[in-house]
Amino acid sequence: MNSSVLLRLMVMLVQLWPCSLSMQNSSAQNTVQSFTAVRRVKRGWLWEPLFATEEQISPGPVYIGQLKSDLDKQDGNLKYILTGEGAGSFFVIDEYNGTIYVKQKLDREKKSFYTLRAQAINRSTQLPVEPESEFIIKVRDINDNEPQFLDGPYVATVPEMSPEGTSVTQVTATDADDPSYGNSARLLYSLIQGQPYFSVEPKTGVIRMASQMDRETKDQYLVIIQAKDMVGQPGAFSATATVTINLSDINDNPPKFQQRLYYMSVSEEAPVGTTIGKVFAEDSDTGDNAAMDYFIDADNSDVFNIITNNETQEGIILLKKRVDYESKRRYSIQVKAVNRYIDEHFLEAGPFEDTTIVKINVEDADEPPVFTLESYVMEIVEGAMSGALVGVVTARDPDDDDSPVRYSIVHSTHLKRLFSINEHNGAIITTEPLDREIASWHNITVTATETRNPEKISEANVYVKVLDVNDNAPEFPKYYETFVCENAALGQLIQSISAVDQDDSAEGHHFYFSLAQEDANSSHFIVKDNQDNTAGIFTGKSGFRRQEQVFFYLPILIQDNGTPPLTSTNTLTVTVCDCDTEVNTLYCRYGAFMYSLGLSTEALVAVLACILIFLVFFLAIVAIRQQQQKKPPFSEKMEEFRENIVSYDDEGGGEEDTEAFDISALRTRTVMRTHKPRKKVASEIQSLYRQSLQVGPDSAIFRQFIAEKLEEANTDPSVPPYDSLQTYAFEGTGSLAGSLSSLGSNTSDMDQSYEYLADWGPHFKQLAGMYSSHRTVGD
């Protein structure tokens, strides 16, 4: 038998064959002999079962087993060697006889078995006599670990009044000992605290209800569960866990009123919606199970109403209809409180509602007068004389003292007063005749005041309807423009007419049309009544002549169907037109308009031609003046003399804006000027003046001209831009006339004679003409 087979056999024996911890050498020897007897067939290892018990305590090494080779002659020639897990530290072997000992305590929870290798060698040759063989030492468990509850703390909830046996929750403990060996890891659960309300299953740790419990009595319980290993045997380890069990609420309690009788009061002056009082019914349940609704008995539900305050669960009684002390002074109502949500499982416990009685006293108050009607509707015929009776309003004091009442009308300050009222009897009369066509309805506000207490006032609306009478005759709805052509045929329709009436006819308006009596025999036109409130105007002959008569005035008689009927005469103007064969109405209108102005067509064409000629002449004059404005005042020899005027159309900014100007735009090729601030304009002008003297003849004319221009620019506030610089200088030198500048001149134009300009030649002819009458250049 080879070593591997022996090893597997040994492992099987280790797992299946328990040995006592106090194994003696004699018994071990017998075991070896028995194995030897079995294995004498072939050379190999001889084993004893090898078991090591954890936490063995002994003054010295503890024997756990022996191994030997069947070649061992017990002469000390063989040497046993042990290697592998724990060899030398936990386990040692006697090299002469193969006995294995454990030196230290073993912990199965840390390591449950060890794998080692054994070898036997010849001491003389140091050669193995057996092949190296592997074997296992299994650590046998002892009860050295306490149970533990790892999922705590435990909290569970169960509905109150749950039946006996209802599962609440389950607790589970764990034990680190070997559950497959002995009872070290077999736990047993028991109840330390919680009787007689709860119980626990010993093997599973399931907590169950042991009796029905009422949350309103106690809503929380602390249950202590114990777990013991070794199936609860003496010496076993144990652990405890606390379970907090809460009872959830169910609707098992009806509402209960705190009082069986409530007393309240309300003033007869209280408006609708006034809170009269509150009632309250208690419910031992919580949340939705305590929610309730309040109701009032049907007999008084039209006077009072009750609503539920969902936060406080109070019933609030409100006034639904005004009460009257003189009519009824006391009310007795029944209020009912009913659970909003009812659990069907507890219907047998009785109705989940309660009732109470509320007595309400009506308090007397000084009330304002009361009108017999909330509003009055009265009628009066239009046109009635001033002082005509419209109607009567009536009010009385509802109190027992029955104070007299005075009436008045609330007049608006911006409306005309058409009515008045008798302050003693409430009779309303007109102050002037009424016209239905102006206003068919009038709204009046009447007040009634107690004479003993003027602060008590009440109002009523009075609606006055003005009845219609036939006082308006029918008339044309608009102005008709009627035309007839000269070549119109007999019986041709030239106009359709209708009528309107401001009166209100109960049966509907019906109008009748005809020619007035004074024109009834006219043969020019005919009026045909269509019997539908319209009529047609037809020609009574063929052919009309504008040269003979341009306008015809037809008096149309219109009659309504009122009682009595009214008639009116409306004049229809018919204009004769010169029409073509297609009867062009637009042309007819145009011709009528011209005729009304007293102009013929030829005259109108002439007028239009004159207007056109005048317009062309006017435009020509405007164009010529614009060209003259663009032409320089000195048209001759402009190449020798020029005025440079530079203007800037800037707005705002004042003197600071000049800082942004590019002064180079004001410079000429011969005169260079430097930029200076606006506040030094006068000095700059003087500098420019001095420069101009260097390039042109010295003349007082231009000096005076520049001075006047500067004065105009400084004194005229209406000429923008306000910050501008005007420069006048010559171009070129060597003028025969010399300098024309008037800068620096101390004399006025009135003191100078300009007759010498006529001697300068034709180039200065225009200038000599300008100054011949002692005018200045600036003029």
Side-chain angles (χ1 to χ4, degrees), residues 580-593:
D580 54 12
T581 56
E582 297 180 358
V583 190
N584 193 327
T585 306
L586 178 62
Y587 175 75
C588 186
R589 294 172 182 266
Y590 163 76
F593 174 73

Side-chain angles (χ1 to χ4, degrees), residues 69 263 532 568:
S69 172
Y263 290 97
D532 60 354
S568 65

Side-chain angles (χ1 to χ4, degrees), residues 72-79 96 121-125:
D72 189 0
K73 305 301 181 178
Q74 296 184 354
D75 55 1
N77 190 32
L78 294 181
K79 180 180 180 181
Y96 293 99
I121 62 174
N122 190 294
R123 291 181 181 273
S124 300
T125 63

